[in-house]
Every structure is written in C-alpha cells, then in structure tokens.
C-alpha cells in the first residue's frame, strides 16, 4: 500500500513537472516606441498596474518621446501584456523582440529581474540630449535610414567603404560586435554627444555609416545625433543585433556574444558563437563580465571565471590593501 502510494505520488510529481514544463515558458521581451506622449504619468500607472497584475518583472522607462522596456515572465502573461500594449494607438505597431528567459521562480516570476520598475524620465534612452530629440507619430525625426539585416548585407556587398559604428558602451562591444566595427570609447550612452562633438569621428562623415545596438533604440537617437552633426550617410540596423542574430546567427557579419542588461549577462545566437572577449586579469578568451569588486562601484570588466573580478583604477588600491 505504502509503495503503491509512493508510485502514485511520484507519477503525479512527474505529470506535474511535465505540466509545468508545458505551460510555463520563461520569456523576455524587448520593446520601444518613439511617439509623442502627452501624459507619460498616465502611461506609467497603466503599465505598472498591467505588469503587476500579470506577474511581470523588468524595467520600463517612459518620457514625452515614447516608451522603452524589457519585461520577463511567463509567455502567456507576456502575450496578454502585448495585446493590451498594442491596444493603445501610438503603440500598435510596436516591434517586439523575444528571447528565452532563464526561468521562473516558485511564484511564476522571472528570475532574470529583481522586480518590476516603471518610471517616467526625461529620456527613454539617456544620451543627455532630451531637447535635441524630435519625435512625431512616425518615430524619431531625422534619424538614420533603417536597414533590415538583408538590406544591410546588400549594402555591404555593393559598397566597400561601409563602416559599422557600435552604438553601445565599449564594454558591451568587448564580448561581441560586428566584424571590423568602430567601437567608440564610451562608458555610458551620455558620452556619445561629447565624443561626436569632439570631431573624433569626422573622418566618417563621407562614408556610409551603419549604427547598431542591442535592440535598435540607442541607434534611433544616436543616428539622429550623427545626421544633425553632418554625417552624410547614416543607417541604423533595424531591430538591432537581436533581430540580426535571429536571422543570421553566427554565420554572418556578427562575431561573439550579445551583452544584455539582465541577470543572463549575455546571450549567444548559436552553438558556435565566437568568444572574442579577453579577460582583463589573465588575457584568456571569455565572454564573462563582472563588476569592480568595490560594492559601491558600477564599472564592469570582461573577466574570466578564475580571475572572478578585477578592480577599476579608482578601487585597485583599496582591494590590494
Ligand atoms: Zn582571467
Ligand atoms: Zn571601481
């Protein structure tokens, strides 16, 4: 009797696990819309209530120029979120980029984010130039020409002077980038305006420049800043590296891993992603990144498992003591 009940309960456990496997699918969705929003705070309350009600986690930023977010949760909940999101007219054509989440906890919440954060800011992507950005119902005004991954390949085949311009922070590019890309030495997106104004990239003004970033949002702004500073032929990769990776994986012009701002750290597009990162401690090839060991410091480095962490210049003396 006892054995029989044990058999039954283990069968039940198996079927419950199978049921959970079948119905809970951890996903992460990346999205942005540039559109004039008259009442960002009303959007904030709506998105906060919607996300909380559906058990989503992640980060959403809203400004008078649009919305930008990453949300993680069960696929069914995210699909409900997407239906509601698209029901608001300015958001109806949103391009959602989906990727696999690491998992869901016992409450069904994404383990890739600590909580749900929905905030109103001056900018939905922090270039420190909110007054320069112009947005209408079609998106950013005066930005670079959008290129699909296929059209990007067409451009590269038809021209021999195409320059890839990484629109992310230098650290992100250290573990993955388009082959031969220019990687500006920026620690945060706010450094771009100063760098462009310094004339450091004026030699690119006569060339076709393809800006690219994770999901495309940073290039919406970056490409418009470049156009208004006299870069004559500026493109932006539509859907960013995420969309390119979906289509070409590691068999195109991309090399390495894609850095992501959640607990996953990075994602690969195939089982044969190149490892292009170099450990700051020992020089070994790695795609791992870690913070400066000083708890108050937000600087990050590419650093292998063995070296674990390396201190920044400012905190090096501290940790050597
Ligand atoms: Zn190392
Ligand atoms: Zn530090």
């Amino acid at each position: 009797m006892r054995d029989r009940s044990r058999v039954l309960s283990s069968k039940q456990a198996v079927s419950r696990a199978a049921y959970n496997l079948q119905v809970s699918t951890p996903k992460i969705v990346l999205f942005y819309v540039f559109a004039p929003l008259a009442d960002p705070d009303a959007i904030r309350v709506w998105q906060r209530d919607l996300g909380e009600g559906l058990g989503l986690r992640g980060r959403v930023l809203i400004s008078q120029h649009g919305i930008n977010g990453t949300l993680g949760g069960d696929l069914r909940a995210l699909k409900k979120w997407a239906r509601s999101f698209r029901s608001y007219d300015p958001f109806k054509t949103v391009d959602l980029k989906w990727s696999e989440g690491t998992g869901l906890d016992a409450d069904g919440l994404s383990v890739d984010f600590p909580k749900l954060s929905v905030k109103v800011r001056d900018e939905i992507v922090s270039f420190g130039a909110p007054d320069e950005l112009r947005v209408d119902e079609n998106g950013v005004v005066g930005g670079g020409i959008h290129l699909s991954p296929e059209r990007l390949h067409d451009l590269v085949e038809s021209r021999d002077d195409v320059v890839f311009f990484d629109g992310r922070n230098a650290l992100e590019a250290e573990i993955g980038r388009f082959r031969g890309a220019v990687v500006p030495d920026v620690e945060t997106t706010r450094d771009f305006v100063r760098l462009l104004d310094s004339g450091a990239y004026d030699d690119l003004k006569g060339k076709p420049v393809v800006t690219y970033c994770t999901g495309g949002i940073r290039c919406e702004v970056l490409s418009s800043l470049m156009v208004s500073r006299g870069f004559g032929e500026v493109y932006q990769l539509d859907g960013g590296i995420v969309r390119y990776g979906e289509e070409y994986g590691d068999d195109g012009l991309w090399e390495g891993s894609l850095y992501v701002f959640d607990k996953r750290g990075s994602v690969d597009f195939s089982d044969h992603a190149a490892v292009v990162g170099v450990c700051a401690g020992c020089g070994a090839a790695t795609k791992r990144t870690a913070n400066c060991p000083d708890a108050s410091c937000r600087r990050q480095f590419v650093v292998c498992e063995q070296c674990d962490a390396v201190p920044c210049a400012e905190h090096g003396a501290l940790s050597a003591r």
Side-chain angles (χ1 to χ4, degrees), residues 291-301 310-316:
N291 285 315
C292 167
D294 187 283
S296 69
C297 184
R298 299 191 65 184
R299 290 190 186 88
Q300 279 193 316
F301 300 92
V310 294
C312 70
E314 197 178 321
H315 297 114

Side-chain angles (χ1 to χ4, degrees), residues 279-284 286 302-308:
C279 173
C282 70
T286 181
V302 174
V303 58
C304 79
E305 204 84 49
Q306 271 74 43
C307 297
D308 188 40

Side-chain angles (χ1 to χ4, degrees), residues 119-142:
K119 288 178 177 160
V120 172
R121 288 272 187 268
D122 282 349
E123 296 176 295
I124 53 172
V125 51
S126 296
F127 277 85
D131 301 330
E132 212 181 306
L133 187 66
R134 286 174 299 139
V135 165
D136 68 16
E137 55 282 0
N138 298 312
V140 172
V141 177

Side-chain angles (χ1 to χ4, degrees), residues 14 25 52 179 193 211 223 248 260 278:
V14 167
T25 312
E52 276 177 3
R179 208 167 293 133
V193 170
T211 61
S223 68
Y248 289 98
V260 292
V278 175

Side-chain angles (χ1 to χ4, degrees), residues 52 54-57 72-74 103-113:
E52 276 177 3
L54 290 168
L56 303 180
R57 280 178 173 170
D74 177 48
L104 304 174
D105 66 14
D107 298 320
L109 301 171
S110 170
V111 300
D112 293 305
F113 303 92

Side-chain angles (χ1 to χ4, degrees), residues 32 97 149 178 212-217 237-245:
Y32 70 82
K97 288 123 203 157
F178 278 95
Y212 67 89
C213 58
T214 311
I217 184 171
L237 179 57
D238 211 20
I241 302 160
V242 172
R243 180 65 34 79
Y244 184 89

Side-chain angles (χ1 to χ4, degrees), residues 8 10 15 18 35 39 77 87-88 92 101 130 163 210-211 240 257 274 276 295 310 313:
L8 273 178
S10 84
S15 75
D39 190 350
S87 70
Y88 181 57
K92 68 174 184 287
V163 177
V210 179
T211 61
S257 303
V276 302
V310 294

